[in-house]
Amino acid sequence: MPKLQPLPEDHMYQAYGIYLLESKHRLIRRLKKAYQPSVHGHKTWNASFLLMDYLQHNPLKKKAKVLEVGCGWGPGSVFCAKQFKAKVTGLDIDKEVFPFLDVLAELNGVSVTPMTRRLEALKGPDLGQFDVIVGSDICFWDSLVKSLNQMISRAIKNGVERIIITDPGRPTFYELCDMARQKHHVELHEWYATEPRHFVGEVVEIRPG
């Protein structure tokens, strides 16, 4: 049985080797008075833990260059930076999420570069800077399916090796997988996370095909 480590503060928890904060934590409450994320960037979503678990079993190469799309508070970014010494950029359309990401990064002793950009504005050379693109629970609107699929094609065309997206299993997510399968190698798996609690969802890994 693993040794239990006491957490230093209330409303703080640990999952997959990183520290995370609940909405009731004093720092999060303070940030919410100053910043108001408007595109679902108001908490850590469970699909982030699917990503962490999947990457534990299918790890990144050390010091990989990683882009997290729709990063929100950035738990996936922080995990990649902490566990794989990755050079991580967190991208979100909403700049109001980045103070929350900064707090999580500082808490875990890592650095994540923020980027505010729409998917449509990511050109091929922008994406080609990265080895891996990840995203968690980012396919929640019908309008995102086409944009994500086009981004995936531009990324692979410009040398991105792996694209990994996790999701609770929305119809829009499966639609994206079907579209990507027409051009690329797609592996779709039912997956579950065990930390901080049991959660079942889907993970897709897309590679050049």
Side-chain angles (χ1 to χ4, degrees):
M1 185 174 75
K3 182 179 178 182
L4 294 176
Q5 296 182 344
L7 295 173
E9 292 189 35
D10 291 338
H11 306 301
M12 179 183 292
Y13 62 103
Q14 207 170 16
Y16 296 101
I18 64 170
Y19 288 112
L20 296 157
L21 301 177
E22 297 174 349
S23 294
K24 293 181 180 179
H25 188 275
R26 58 182 180 82
L27 292 177
I28 298 298
R29 289 165 60 187
R30 192 177 305 165
L31 284 174
K32 284 187 173 182
K33 291 180 180 179
Y35 304 97
Q36 298 292 326
S38 58
V39 191
H40 302 300
H42 58 277
K43 69 174 187 177
T44 296
W45 296 92
N46 285 332
S48 297
F49 303 117
L50 293 177
L51 176 67
M52 296 177 200
D53 195 281
Y54 181 79
L55 289 176
Q56 276 200 342
H57 291 84
N58 302 273
L60 303 177
K61 62 185 182 183
K62 290 293 183 182
K63 298 184 179 180
K65 295 178 181 178
V66 178
L67 174 67
E68 184 181 16
V69 175
C71 64
W73 289 12
S77 294
V78 170
F79 173 82
C80 291
K82 183 79 172 180
Q83 300 300 336
F84 303 109
K85 306 291 188 261
K87 183 178 180 180
V88 186
T89 297
L91 178 142
D92 205 286
I93 194 174
D94 185 359
K95 65 184 180 185
E96 297 280 295
V97 302
F98 294 122
F100 298 86
L101 186 154
D102 289 342
V103 165
L104 288 188
E106 179 70 22
L107 180 65
N108 287 280
V110 299
S111 176
V112 177
T113 301
M115 180 189 294
T116 307
R117 193 86 62 86
R118 297 184 66 85
L119 291 174
E120 297 83 357
L122 290 170
K123 305 301 182 184
D126 300 325
L127 297 164
Q129 302 175 57
F130 302 99
D131 303 306
V132 182
I133 295 175
V134 300
S136 300
D137 212 342
I138 58 174
C139 201
F140 46 82
W141 290 333
D142 291 341
S143 60
L144 287 169
V145 176
K146 182 179 179 180
S147 297
L148 283 166
N149 184 58
Q150 291 174 340
M151 181 211 70
I152 288 166
S153 291
R154 290 196 300 274
I156 289 178
K157 184 178 180 180
N158 284 270
V160 175
E161 300 166 7
R162 305 173 68 186
I163 299 170
I164 303 162
I165 300 173
T166 57
D167 194 86
R170 291 187 171 90
T172 44
F173 170 77
Y174 295 120
E175 183 181 353
L176 175 64
C177 294
D178 288 340
M179 293 178 72
R181 192 176 283 116
Q182 296 175 21
K183 293 184 178 180
H184 315 296
H185 178 71
V186 171
E187 294 181 5
L188 177 63
H189 305 281
E190 186 176 31
W191 206 266
Y192 68 90
T194 58
E195 302 176 33
R197 63 190 68 85
H198 186 82
F199 177 74
V200 178
E202 301 283 343
V203 57
V204 65
E205 177 155 357
I206 305 168
R207 295 175 182 259

